[in-house]
Amino acid sequence: MANTLVEMFRMKDIRKKILFTLGILAVTRVGAALPIPGINPGAVLSYFEEFSNSFTDYLNFFSGGAFANFSIFMLGVMPYISTQIIMQLLMLVIPSLKKLAQDPQGSKKIQQYTRYGTVLVCVIQSLAASVYARSIPGAIMIGTVPFTIVSIISVTAGSMLMVWLGEKITQFGVGNGVSLLIFAGIVARIPSAVYTMIVEIRSGMMNPVGLIVVVIMFFFVIALVVYEEKGQRKIPVQYSRRVVGRRMYGSQSSYIPFKINPSGVIPVIFASTLLSFPLQIGYNSNIGWLRAIADFLDPQGAPYLIIYTALIIAFAFFYTQVSLNPIEMAKNIRDNGGSIPGVRNEKLEEYLTKVLNRIVLPGAIFLAFIALIPTLIQMFFDFPQNVAMLFGGTSLIILVGVDLETMRQLDALMKMHHHEGFVDAKKRRLKKF
């Protein structure tokens, strides 16, 4: 592995992609520390140290500390993901939108509509953040109206800048840009969580034995997540002889790889983002019904956990049906003269749908179980929330999933240069350090 890393940095184009990605991530971390104009960072820091709760800890963890700083990047890329969810749902309801998305030129319009929607979501959430800032004693150093205008403009611009930076990572760097920005925010909170853990142990508030048990669970869950991410079922496909142009191609055997978790970390990110939206809008709001919704969706409460679990399972099925459409797959198999042994051609859609549902359901339940680990750790081991969120749940799935996907892309880039990659071809798994 050490030789592979050295060879990777010797290749100019791969080295440029990696350095570009790291540079963009560094820029976002600097932006996470830049407060909104007119905010008093000292007053905000003192307030969150004294009055932190499950809601603020939740948002602060996934923004990499940007929320507690009231920085220009305090919303991160969550508004963009929320708008993507809304657009995906609208495509199911409005056939014209779905038809538009299937056209190469129409997909650009869909992306444009998504950006416009992101701006609208940013304005609403930044307005809610400015209202929240008013409740913090000494936080605002200018007038209320000027601060509200400035905060809406700066936070909206900050979120759109993060979306643009994420797209640039996807285009010129390594990995999925938006996922990597969320990944970087989680990693940035690790030092703070470790420090909190050390302080809790020294003060006697945390049991060292419980910590050892949780650490063992942590590595065990990582192994399960990696196994689940790489697990797949292969559906054999037999292609008969066919003529293409002047050439005749003989019969071939191939397979369709169905992953246990085809949607990866997308359901977890979608569910977290969708639930964080009403929390941001309603928390500390003067409007009664908005505040009631925020209280009902307390991240540590049973309603939140039930809805969160249901959304993860629902999004897992939804995203799988969008990305792996059994009807289109069956059509492509038939058009290319293929067949699945033991399955009649007219039953291909039914068979593929049945197999996908049997695979996705246990994978979705597993994702939901992992996402509930922080709450279980807090309940049984009385851990601080920022430490519990580090040891499992959404953060762990995102960290492992994004890391594996980035490693796959690097491996593909290495093989394009005819170099040995990160994956052991014989054992079909990541090499050991």
Side-chain angles (χ1 to χ4, degrees):
M1 177 63 82
N3 292 334
T4 303
L5 292 173
V6 172
E7 291 295 332
M8 180 179 64
F9 276 94
R10 284 179 179 174
M11 302 174 198
K12 184 178 179 180
D13 55 339
I14 297 180
R15 183 174 68 249
K16 286 175 64 176
K17 286 178 176 290
I18 294 173
L19 294 178
F20 179 83
T21 303
L22 294 176
I24 295 295
L25 294 179
V27 169
T28 60
R29 297 318 309 153
V30 172
L34 295 177
I36 299 171
I39 203 78
N40 184 349
V44 172
L45 180 62
S46 300
Y47 176 83
F48 281 116
E49 286 180 350
E50 187 175 356
F51 298 104
S52 63
N53 52 53
S54 57
F55 164 72
T56 57
D57 287 342
Y58 177 84
L59 294 179
N60 202 40
F61 191 88
F62 289 99
S63 64
F67 185 83
N69 295 333
F70 263 79
S71 77
I72 57 174
F73 289 165
M74 66 182 301
L75 296 181
V77 293
M78 295 304 182
Y80 178 68
I81 298 175
S82 300
T83 310
Q84 282 187 319
I85 298 170
I86 295 172
M87 289 300 298
Q88 292 285 349
L89 294 175
L90 287 176
M91 284 184 211
L92 294 178
V93 179
I94 306 175
S96 59
L97 273 179
K98 184 177 181 180
K99 186 178 180 181
L100 185 65
Q102 293 173 348
D103 182 67
Q105 295 298 324
S107 61
K108 294 181 180 180
K109 290 186 178 180
I110 294 294
Q111 292 178 357
Q112 190 175 13
Y113 296 155
T114 304
R115 291 190 180 94
Y116 291 152
T118 303
V119 172
L120 178 62
V121 173
C122 286
V123 169
I124 296 173
Q125 291 186 330
S126 58
L127 176 61
S130 66
V131 173
Y132 180 45
R134 298 174 199 170
S135 65
I136 302 176
I140 301 177
M141 297 187 295
I142 58 177
T144 301
V145 174
F147 174 77
T148 302
I149 296 173
V150 169
S151 63
I152 290 175
I153 294 174
S154 57
V155 172
T156 301
S159 289
M160 295 308 296
L161 176 60
M162 285 199 73
V163 172
W164 181 78
L165 291 174
E167 291 176 349
K168 292 304 174 185
I169 290 177
T170 304
Q171 186 177 359
F172 300 110
V174 179
N176 182 286
V178 173
S179 298
L180 277 172
L181 292 178
I182 300 173
F183 176 92
I186 296 172
V187 171
R189 297 303 296 166
I190 291 178
S192 174
V194 172
Y195 175 76
T196 301
M197 190 166 52
I198 293 173
V199 171
E200 293 278 331
I201 292 175
R202 287 182 175 178
S203 62
M205 299 179 65
M206 183 183 295
N207 188 349
V209 177
L211 176 62
I212 294 173
V213 172
V214 171
V215 169
I216 294 173
M217 288 173 53
F218 174 73
F219 287 106
F220 178 70
V221 171
I222 287 180
L224 286 178
V225 172
V226 172
Y227 181 79
E228 188 254 359
E229 286 288 329
K230 296 182 71 65
Q232 62 182 13
R233 177 177 174 180
K234 298 178 181 179
I235 305 297
V237 180
Q238 185 72 34
Y239 291 97
S240 59
R241 291 185 179 183
R242 63 189 189 278
V243 178
V244 180
R246 290 187 173 184
R247 293 186 177 182
M248 176 176 286
Y249 292 87
S251 60
Q252 296 177 343
S253 296
S254 183
Y255 65 88
I256 304 173
F258 281 165
K259 293 180 62 178
I260 296 176
N261 180 26
S263 52
V265 299
I266 298 298
V268 179
I269 295 177
F270 275 15
S272 301
T273 305
L274 194 63
L275 286 178
S276 68
F277 182 75
L279 286 173
Q280 289 175 325
I281 299 299
Y283 185 78
N284 212 34
S285 172
N286 294 325
I287 303 176
W289 63 273
L290 285 177
R291 182 59 185 269
I293 292 175
D295 292 339
F296 178 76
L297 292 176
D298 177 41
Q300 299 302 311
Y304 176 90
L305 298 177
I306 294 172
I307 296 173
Y308 186 43
T309 302
L311 283 176
I312 290 176
I313 297 174
F315 279 127
F317 276 93
F318 168 73
Y319 193 82
T320 301
Q321 290 297 323
V322 171
S323 58
L324 298 174
N325 191 326
I327 298 176
E328 293 181 2
M329 292 176 67
K331 183 177 181 298
N332 290 333
I333 292 174
R334 280 194 291 262
D335 291 346
N336 288 282
S339 62
I340 298 176
V343 181
R344 292 188 298 177
N345 276 352
E346 61 269 20
K347 295 287 186 179
L348 283 179
E349 293 92 342
E350 182 181 343
Y351 175 77
L352 292 175
T353 302
K354 183 178 179 181
V355 172
L356 268 178
N357 289 339
R358 286 184 173 181
I359 292 175
V360 173
L361 180 59
I365 293 174
F366 177 80
L367 278 178
F369 170 74
I370 298 297
L372 296 178
I373 286 179
T375 304
L376 299 177
I377 290 176
Q378 282 185 281
M379 290 174 58
F380 293 104
F381 298 98
D382 196 26
F383 272 38
Q385 184 173 1
N386 61 337
V387 177
M389 293 182 73
L390 173 65
F391 278 107
T394 308
S395 59
L396 181 59
I397 297 172
I398 293 174
L399 288 175
V400 175
V402 173
D403 180 67
L404 288 175
E405 181 60 32
T406 306
M407 293 283 281
R408 289 191 195 103
Q409 289 198 23
L410 284 173
D411 185 69
L413 290 171
M414 293 283 290
K415 289 179 178 178
M416 286 175 62
H417 288 265
H418 307 289
H419 283 270
E420 189 179 8
F422 290 96
V423 177
D424 191 326
K426 294 181 179 179
K427 297 183 179 179
R428 296 183 179 277
R429 63 184 183 185
L430 293 176
K431 295 178 181 178
K432 298 180 179 179
F433 283 94

